[in-house]
Amino acid sequence: MRGPATRDLAWCAAAAHLVEGDPALPVFSEWLGAFRASGVPHLVLLGDLFRVWIALPSAQAEHQARVLRELARLAGEGRRVVYVVGNRDYFAEASRGAFGLEVAARWDLGLPG
């Protein structure tokens, strides 16, 4: 449930290094579903979501495209999806907005109190 208590909260994931056939792929998808149900407005991905990511729409492997579609769906629902670029992410800055992601070298979240 979204409300004042969740207004400035974020869920984060870091350096998953997902690959095709990875048993973590369905777990990550379930985690995104739990995020969707939580009502938390911000999802912050701290780089290296995939083992290697060439962030050009024409260069996506199928497992990457599936995950990116899920992230784009969240963004389309009004969630803020921030991707902080990791050292295995190539051309991510150039693809700003292409996958519904806010791509950044860093991201700051202010919390009250």
Side-chain angles (χ1 to χ4, degrees):
M1 170 164 56
R2 183 179 276 191
T6 62
R7 184 181 62 225
D8 289 322
L9 297 178
W11 281 26
C12 299
H17 295 190
L18 299 170
V19 296
E20 185 64 50
D22 193 330
L25 279 166
V27 174
F28 186 74
S29 183
E30 289 177 27
W31 183 77
L32 290 177
F35 169 75
R36 175 177 285 109
S38 74
V40 174
H42 305 286
L43 177 63
V44 182
L45 302 170
L46 301 174
D48 298 342
L49 181 58
F50 305 108
R51 182 175 291 163
V52 174
W53 183 33
I54 300 170
L56 302 172
S58 62
Q60 302 313 297
E62 181 52 37
H63 72 286
Q64 294 171 329
R66 284 192 310 267
V67 170
L68 292 167
R69 281 191 299 269
E70 290 183 70
L71 296 174
R73 179 177 168 204
L74 288 167
E77 294 170 356
R79 301 301 178 86
R80 188 172 186 192
V81 182
V82 177
Y83 194 90
V84 179
V85 178
N87 66 333
R88 296 172 181 235
D89 302 319
Y90 302 95
F91 305 109
E93 296 91 341
S95 68
R96 274 195 172 86
F99 305 103
L101 306 175
E102 288 183 41
V103 178
R106 64 177 266 180
W107 186 68
D108 297 317
L109 173 65
L111 297 174

